[in-house]
């Protein structure tokens, strides 16, 4: 039996983090339908404080998602969900961005210029990678 899944990343501010990751990966932030949000509020199924404004649009406060431009058949959706606590320990899982050995340095430079922080470099046999942290401190590797 096969299952569909999405990757969920806890966040103190999901919408800017989703924007950052969409830019980092060349993916797209999923649009949120303002009309549907307003209708749910009008019908009492949601409250005004369940929403926020991001980039001039009304969105759900608790989350934002990104997806590969070719759709969910190409790669799973990544959801950034609002949590009250700040990140305090190392991630138990992380994303690997595989760019090929000849492109690692350029990609690390591009991502650090956009707010990522280099944490360390690793090597196993002929393979090497750079571990970075996104603007909220979530670790990921470029390999």
């Amino acid at each position: 039996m096969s299952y569909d899944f999405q990757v969920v990343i806890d966040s103190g501010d999901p919408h800017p983090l989703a924007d950052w990751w969409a830019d980092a990966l060349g993916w797209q932030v999923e649009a949120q339908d303002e009309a549907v949000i307003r209708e749910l509020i009008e019908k009492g199924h949601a409250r005004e404080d369940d929403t926020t404004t991001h980039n001039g649009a009304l969105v759900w406060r608790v989350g934002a998602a990104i997806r590969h431009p070719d759709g969910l058949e190409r790669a799973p959706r990544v959801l950034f969900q609002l949590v009250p606590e700040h990140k305090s320990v190392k991630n138990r899982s992380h994303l690997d961005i595989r760019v090929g050995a000849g492109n690692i340095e350029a990609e690390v430079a591009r991502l650090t210029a956009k707010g990522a922080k280099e944490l360390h470099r690793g090597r196993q046999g002929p393979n090497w990678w750079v571990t970075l942290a996104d603007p909220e401190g979530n670790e990921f590797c470029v390999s």
Side-chain angles (χ1 to χ4, degrees), residues 97 99 103-104 107-108 111 128-132 140-143:
I97 300 174
V99 298
N103 300 315
I104 294 173
E107 191 64 12
V108 166
L111 293 171
W128 65 284
W129 62 91
V130 180
T131 302
L132 303 175
F140 65 99
C141 293
V142 177
S143 62

Side-chain angles (χ1 to χ4, degrees), residues 64-138:
I66 64 172
R67 62 175 58 198
H68 190 281
D70 293 339
L72 297 177
E73 299 78 29
R74 174 68 168 82
R77 177 182 196 249
V78 179
L79 173 67
F80 299 87
Q81 72 177 1
L82 180 66
V83 295
E85 70 278 356
H86 294 283
K87 182 177 179 304
S88 61
V89 298
K90 184 180 179 303
N91 295 6
R92 294 289 305 250
S93 63
H94 65 268
L95 301 178
D96 283 348
I97 300 174
R98 297 180 296 173
V99 298
N103 300 315
I104 294 173
E105 293 295 354
E107 191 64 12
V108 166
R110 183 181 78 83
L111 293 171
T112 55
K114 293 182 174 295
K117 178 182 173 188
E118 184 173 330
L119 300 177
H120 62 83
R121 290 169 178 252
R123 176 175 294 278
Q124 184 176 18
N127 301 311
W128 65 284
W129 62 91
V130 180
T131 302
L132 303 175
D134 73 16
E136 287 197 10
N138 299 299

